[in-house]
Amino acid sequence: MAGELLLLAVVILAHLLLLSCSSFAPIFLSCGSPSAINLSGDNPPRVFTPDDAYLLTSSDSQTAAFPNSSPLPIYSTARIFTSQASYRFAVEPNAFYILRLHFLPFPSTAAARFNVSALNRFLLLSSFSPSSAAVTIKEFFIWVDTTPLLLTFSPASTPATTTAFINALELLSSPANLIEGIQPLYVTPSQSTPVTNFSPLATETVYRINVGGPRITPANDTLWRTWEPDDAFLFNGLIFSLKNSTSGRIEYPMVNGLTSKIAPDMVYSTARTINAAPVSNLQSFDFNLTWSFDVPPGFQYLVRMHFCNCWFPSPKSFFFRVYLGGLTASTDLNPGKEMVPSYVDFIVDSPDSGPLNLSIGPAGKSIPQNALLNGVEIMKLNNSFLSLVGPFGLFESGGSHGNKHLLEILLLSILGGLVLLTLLVLTTAFFIRRRQQRRLPEQKEKAPSWSNFKTENSVLTATSKSTELTQNNSSSARLNLGLQIPFADVITATRNFDENLMVGSGGFGKVYAGVLPDGTKVAVKRGMPGYKQGFPEFQTEIVVLSRIRHRHLVSLIGYCDEQSEMILVYEYMEKGTLRNHLYGSDLPCLSWKQRLEICIGAARGLHYLHTGYSQSIIHRDLKSTNILLGEKFVAKVSDFGLSRLGPSVGETHVSTVVKGTFGYFDPEYFKIQKLTEKSDVYSFGVVLFEVLCARPAIRDNVNLAELALHWQRKGKLEKIVDPKLEGDVNENSLRKFGETAAKCLADYGVDRPSIGDVLWNLEYALQLQETQLSREPFEDSAILDESSQNLVAVPVRRAPAATEIDMEVNAATESPAAAARSLPETSEITSRSVFSQLAIDDGR
Ligand SMILES: *[C@@H]1O[C@H](CO)[C@@H](O)[C@H](O)[C@H]1NC(C)=O
Ligand SMILES: *[C@@H]1O[C@H](CO)[C@@H](O)[C@H](O)[C@H]1NC(C)=O
Ligand SMILES: *[C@@H]1O[C@H](CO)[C@@H](O)[C@H](O)[C@H]1NC(C)=O
Ligand SMILES: *[C@@H]1O[C@H](CO)[C@@H](O)[C@H](O)[C@H]1NC(C)=O
Ligand SMILES: *[C@@H]1O[C@H](CO)[C@@H](O)[C@H](O)[C@H]1NC(C)=O
Ligand SMILES: *[C@@H]1O[C@H](CO)[C@@H](O)[C@H](O)[C@H]1NC(C)=O
Ligand SMILES: *[C@@H]1O[C@H](CO)[C@@H](O)[C@H](O)[C@H]1NC(C)=O
């Protein structure tokens, strides 16, 4: 009976102990402050009290006040230690505690450098020198197994004696399930395996990110945490993702101990999702959204990812892949029920070099094909030295328990007669130490602070991006997201958008010539707010061009979306638009053979667009200003801002809003808004006649397509042939060309040839031209004679063979304008002097 009562008493006592564990009243200290500071903006409010009561009396310390320009009153005073000193907190043992240390140096503490340790065991900070640029908050989770909790500050004594200081301190018991008893998955190259007895004794929070949302300040977090926005960490540009937010109610589940203490509503109500809009028709859309975090090497990290699906309607079939440090963490992560938060913990080793990447991407059979992330926390785990700073700890031996004194006493007592045993102990200790040292790479950490991390990170990613760029710029055919160019490089390349470098302006914005730091000549297209084309076109162009590479398609070298800029960087096209070589400029006239070759090149590019990729791409805005000429008049199709993925197998067309340029419209598309590859064929037919007749698609209200068809039907196409071509065109070549172009302009798409047929016919037309010429290579007059029944006679200008050489010479020397003119969307040319200037700068 008595025994039972005793048992009951013990049980009750144990319960009381457990309860009191979680009822530890948080301690907030404003160090060095004479009175309490009430941060009443917090919810719940924090009252920071003076720290005197918690200092060990033996401590040699002083206070300092520096009230000016402190972001919060708690930073206007500090406790300064000139020698080793400790705080002492009576805590309930066997629990995790959250410890936050706040630092903002005054002028008098600017040179401070010190170690901070807890429980005489954990090394939290070493040779730490807080930045004076901003407040540094260091947060730790510490397993406390004895009371009191001692927090020790040790000013560095080498090379010179300095001080230690602290402005404010927070100590709270860690809520249930926040870190204790979690079951993370360990991510390894082969698979992710559950960690059975996860027992970190100390962790340091290195990143706490509210993905897709704003900064969350302590005022909006039940545990007074700070969550930073993710923008600075997003690796692959902001444009491939969407920020989503909801005002709906987040429903914390009753199970799993998931409460708003894990993360506040504001974390779960915002997320980033993959922006698949420009490629929504593509079934095989495969893409990673990646964040990069700089983490000190040589540690393991606990990565907690928070999810709450508030945007996708099919919670059961929605799952996605997660990668950490380039390894697969999960192939089918399901974020759970709608509006219900969840989180997953992973443990990952720090990468050997470079940042820790976190990527999410759609999984094969998921509906929808997307992924989402609401929040991330990255915590550094103590190493075997019980250290959070490097491969060393408080104890030279690296042992995890005990202290030096004990070891000394032990050794002394044994020394009396047990020399042999001593030797044995020493040898063992030596070997243990050797093994532990070998386990960790010899790398020094330089005490990074929260704010330092961000700046270092952005610099680092910027440089790694530009290296990536030079490596990738012309090879990769898959969706290439290493194309981001730092805004600073664009500024340098265009001399801060020097008007003298401007070579045109179009629907999208202004176009500048420039030279990248690596010497690549580029055309920089800078989107301007208020221009016709906008963000969707910008995205489409990047997505399309980063997927496809072809000799006859203008390649995208990179893009920049920093500072809400929309900048596209293309390969430089020496000779500008096809249109400028046809009419409206004083550039030398193109020979018929050159024109045919240009048309063939453009047709090849278009053919590749229609057939070369797994799903056809419809250009939608083909015109003579979107065909650019490079060196040696190689034609390349450009400006994919309006392009659409074509119908996939089984579908016959894609319905869209009519877009494009007047005069080039497919009438069928215009009428019934059915978009097929044949719409491009129609526009290409208009371009072919433009090339033949050297006149715009629409002039004086006359539609070139109609005009050309009219004369073609009458068999008198020569009436409208560019007079400058007189004597240059072989009759058979002309006939073939006319027929082909006319077929492209058929009213109905089904009656038009495919671009492949057009290409074949154009090549045939070239052959006809060449055959004729090679038969009578130097007899231009003979050609003229032959065709003179049809062509209006004008004086022969020069022999075709010589033409090309002439053109090259002209382009290179006589007409710098031609050389400098370039570039996508160069529809309006601004000033002649621009080009002369450019040519000089380019130093051809
Ligand atoms: C702190 O401020 C809040 C709101 O002004 C007030 O309710 C609370 O009593 C204050 N606490 C202390 C200790 O001054
Ligand atoms: C600070 O920590 C480092 C690394 O353990 C140690 O070498 C140094 O002696 C410590 N400084 C003080 C003053 O304790
Ligand atoms: C954050 O907290 C402050 C103060 O409690 C409040 O005024 C503000 O509306 C909160 N912000 C959000 C987004 O909830
Ligand atoms: C996310 O937000 C964007 C706009 O910000 C919206 O276009 C998109 O449809 C949203 N995604 C979902 C899944 O709701
Ligand atoms: C996503 O990232 C992982 C890990 O870095 C990589 O293995 C995978 O190929 C990536 N997927 C895509 C589509 O880039
Ligand atoms: C991080 O991801 C980016 C983009 O996928 C990649 O270029 C980079 O090499 C990755 N870094 C590391 C350390 O894996
Ligand atoms: C942290 O320290 C404990 C005690 O020495 C150890 O068991 C644990 O493995 C350490 N954590 C890591 C990640 O090394």
Side-chain angles (χ1 to χ4, degrees), residues 495 498 500-501 515 834-844:
R495 291 197 241 123
D498 188 340
N500 290 325
L501 293 182
V515 180
V834 167
F835 300 124
S836 342
Q837 167 112 26
L838 252 176
I840 293 156
D841 291 347
D842 289 341
R844 297 179 42 132

Side-chain angles (χ1 to χ4, degrees), residues 48-98:
F48 284 78
T49 60
D51 62 338
D52 311 71
Y54 299 91
L55 273 175
L56 279 184
T57 45
S58 61
S59 298
D60 172 14
S61 71
Q62 53 195 32
T63 61
F66 190 69
N68 298 331
S69 68
S70 300
L72 277 177
I74 54 171
Y75 299 115
S76 59
T77 63
R79 173 73 58 183
I80 300 172
F81 306 103
T82 49
S83 63
Q84 182 167 316
S86 300
Y87 283 104
R88 180 186 182 278
F89 303 102
V91 293
E92 300 295 341
N94 297 319
F96 268 104
Y97 284 82
I98 303 173

Side-chain angles (χ1 to χ4, degrees), residues 52 93 113 176 220 249 251 258 260 277 332 394 630 672-673 722 728 749 766:
D52 311 71
R113 199 159 52 81
N220 297 81
R249 222 182 107 238
E251 295 159 20
L258 225 161
S260 62
D332 54 356
L394 277 191
I672 56 177
Q673 311 205 349
D722 182 3
D728 192 9
L766 179 63

Side-chain angles (χ1 to χ4, degrees), residues 115 123 126 154-157 392-393:
N115 292 359
L123 185 58
S126 175
S154 317
S157 49
F392 47 79

